[in-house]
């Protein structure tokens, strides 16, 4: 795989909980094929901070079946150089340097399958899992999903509103077990 970084624009920023941001990143038409991804994959970002190049990987929480833009959520890490930079400095309209999606932690979605999925996540580990979850619900209509999601407390549940929306939209196909 070629190590090419592309400059992509941030189109939206949300704050799902304190100390986390969800970035929505536009992919221009000429790059859409290169940036097509499988649910569960991640992006590698490159930043120049304090005069040094730093790279970090962040899992996509968007689904190629439901979301037009790439979305990822970055939780602030105490002392984290890049996570703090992303949370404190990135704004709508900024460009970020990103490699095409990659990684082998993913799920192949089969429209004809009758599967029961068991997904496990804790904290910010929900990001690749919610990508898989949304993709299963959209792309495998005969399958069901059980999500076990651990967090410190109610206030730290990342993407809570999105999970609740999915639960109310797919009542008979999804079971979310919150572990606090």
């Amino acid at each position: 795989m070629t190590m090419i970084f592309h400059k992509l624009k941030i189109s939206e920023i949300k704050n799902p909980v304190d100390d986390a941001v969800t970035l929505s990143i536009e992919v221009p038409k000429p790059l859409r094929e290169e940036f097509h991804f499988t649910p569960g994959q991640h992006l590698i970002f490159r930043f120049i901070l304090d005069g040094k190049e730093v790279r970090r990987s962040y899992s996509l929480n968007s689904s190629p079946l439901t979301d037009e833009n790439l979305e990822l959520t970055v939780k602030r890490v105490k002392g984290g150089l890049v996570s703090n930079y992303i949370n404190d400095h990135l704004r709508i309209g900024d460009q970020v340097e990103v490699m095409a999606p990659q990684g082998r932690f993913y799920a192949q979605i089969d429209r004809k399958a009758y599967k029961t999925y068991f997904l496990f996540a804790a904290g910010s580990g929900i990001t690749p899992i919610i990508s898989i979850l949304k993709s299963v619900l959209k792309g495998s209509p005969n399958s069901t999903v059980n999500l076990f999601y651990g967090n410190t407390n109610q206030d730290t549940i990342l993407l809570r509103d999105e999970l609740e929306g999915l639960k109310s939209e797919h009542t008979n196909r999804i079971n979310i077990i919150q572990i606090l």
Side-chain angles (χ1 to χ4, degrees), residues 3-105:
M3 302 291 276
I4 297 173
F5 284 91
H6 300 279
K7 288 187 177 188
L8 303 179
K9 187 170 87 171
I10 298 171
S11 60
E12 186 178 4
I13 298 177
K14 300 176 200 166
N15 294 92
V17 295
D18 289 343
D19 290 334
V21 294
T22 297
L23 306 176
S24 183
I25 300 172
E26 292 178 11
V27 178
K29 271 191 178 173
L31 292 176
R32 285 198 182 142
E33 187 174 320
E34 185 175 351
F35 275 83
H36 179 75
F37 66 98
T38 304
Q41 288 190 306
H42 66 272
L43 298 174
I44 296 176
F45 287 76
R46 175 172 63 186
F47 296 95
I48 305 298
L49 302 176
D50 298 327
K52 295 180 181 169
E53 178 181 305
V54 290
R55 297 179 183 193
R56 295 293 186 275
S57 299
Y58 293 102
S59 296
L60 290 157
N61 45 270
S62 49
S63 164
L65 303 178
T66 62
D67 302 300
E68 185 177 328
N69 291 335
L70 301 174
E71 281 196 1
L72 58 128
T73 301
V74 179
K75 188 173 181 182
R76 183 185 302 276
V77 175
K78 185 177 181 178
L81 180 65
V82 177
S83 69
N84 286 306
Y85 177 81
I86 289 171
N87 274 266
D88 295 336
H89 297 288
L90 291 184
R91 301 290 178 252
I92 294 171
D94 286 353
Q95 290 193 330
V96 287
E97 291 187 83
V98 185
M99 271 191 217
Q102 51 191 292
R104 291 180 283 194
F105 176 78

